Amino acid sequence: MKKRQLGKSDIEISDLTLGCMSLGTNVQQGKKMIDYALDKGINHLDTADLYHFGENEKIVGEAIKHRRSDVVVTTKVGNHFEKGKDDWFWDPSKKYIHKAVRDSLQRLNTDYIDVYMLHGGTLEDPIDETIEAFDELKKDGLIRAYGISSIRPNVVREYAIRSSIDILMTQYSLLDRRPEEAILPIAEEYKIGVVARGPLAQGLLSNKADEVLDKKAEAGYLDYSYSELKSLYYELEQALPDSSLQQLAMYYAANHPAITSTVFGASSLEQLEKNIAVHQSINEITDAAYPILQQLSKASQYEQHR
């Protein structure tokens, strides 16, 4: 697994990230899957305080406690919830961030968080106050780097201009190329490392794409109608017959120069094994495939997210 520098920080993360949200609530199964990922060279684990209302962080903490120095842990903040209540509200205030980071540290069973991200954000937020909170946590040694998870270019640009963020997590795939229009150029301009989530587009670019399409996307997906998706699958198969749809999807998301790592989730050890194997196989795809993928897919627009 390749390691890449995260933004301007001194942190290096694997070019494949394990998204822990799908691990479920079985501690032993979660630990087994995380151990497998780490043994295969993945060093970056992505979680959030909101996932199962803190239980996901506890599973991650239990899994890494004997190998903490080998792991880069990312968690997120901004969704204010209270223990025992299955409800939350958006709260990017300094007061809540300072409280939430300490709760996350306790659940993760660690004295520092490698990467702390704001879990969303709008232009109406108290952005300077939010940034100040992250800077204070970094100065105090509670976090090593910080950033934002967002699909909104204008919000991303505000944080890029006004803070020292090192990481941006955003949705990006062959079917959702919106980040190419605005977000990825911002990241390149400000030397921010991008972690791409959703490279398989909710399974529509997996090896079970036709099955997922019939279940989830009869009305289409983003800019694509149902018939356009079927047509795209056929065109990709004809143009690049030596590679599976999932290989091409993971290759495309990883190939943009702004991308530091791609995130995938898994709900079983078998699925985890297959996803890692597919990622490792994308090195077999030649550079000639990239312009073909760009030509066949749509360059999505960001109108609804400005």
PDB file of all heavy atoms in Angstrom, residues 177 259 303:
ATOM      1  N   ARG A 177     -18.625  13.595 -10.763  1.00  0.00           N
ATOM      2  CA  ARG A 177     -17.392  14.302 -11.060  1.00  0.00           C
ATOM      3  C   ARG A 177     -17.467  15.787 -10.687  1.00  0.00           C
ATOM      4  O   ARG A 177     -16.609  16.575 -11.092  1.00  0.00           O
ATOM      5  CB  ARG A 177     -17.058  14.131 -12.548  1.00  0.00           C
ATOM      6  CG  ARG A 177     -16.687  12.700 -12.919  1.00  0.00           C
ATOM      7  CD  ARG A 177     -16.444  12.537 -14.413  1.00  0.00           C
ATOM      8  NE  ARG A 177     -15.476  13.511 -14.890  1.00  0.00           N
ATOM      9  CZ  ARG A 177     -15.250  13.776 -16.180  1.00  0.00           C
ATOM     10  NH1 ARG A 177     -15.943  13.136 -17.105  1.00  0.00           N
ATOM     11  NH2 ARG A 177     -14.359  14.672 -16.537  1.00  0.00           N
ATOM     12  N   ILE A 259      -6.050  13.791  -5.259  1.00  0.00           N
ATOM     13  CA  ILE A 259      -6.525  12.754  -4.339  1.00  0.00           C
ATOM     14  C   ILE A 259      -5.355  12.113  -3.599  1.00  0.00           C
ATOM     15  O   ILE A 259      -4.417  11.592  -4.204  1.00  0.00           O
ATOM     16  CB  ILE A 259      -7.319  11.667  -5.094  1.00  0.00           C
ATOM     17  CG1 ILE A 259      -8.520  12.289  -5.819  1.00  0.00           C
ATOM     18  CG2 ILE A 259      -7.787  10.580  -4.124  1.00  0.00           C
ATOM     19  CD1 ILE A 259      -9.504  12.989  -4.926  1.00  0.00           C
ATOM     20  N   GLU A 303     -24.300  23.271  -9.610  1.00  0.00           N
ATOM     21  CA  GLU A 303     -25.274  24.347  -9.426  1.00  0.00           C
ATOM     22  C   GLU A 303     -26.043  24.264  -8.099  1.00  0.00           C
ATOM     23  O   GLU A 303     -26.255  25.247  -7.428  1.00  0.00           O
ATOM     24  CB  GLU A 303     -26.263  24.369 -10.591  1.00  0.00           C
ATOM     25  CG  GLU A 303     -25.645  24.745 -11.931  1.00  0.00           C
ATOM     26  CD  GLU A 303     -24.963  26.102 -11.914  1.00  0.00           C
ATOM     27  OE1 GLU A 303     -25.487  27.020 -11.255  1.00  0.00           O
ATOM     28  OE2 GLU A 303     -23.901  26.237 -12.541  1.00  0.00           O
TER      29      GLU A 303
END
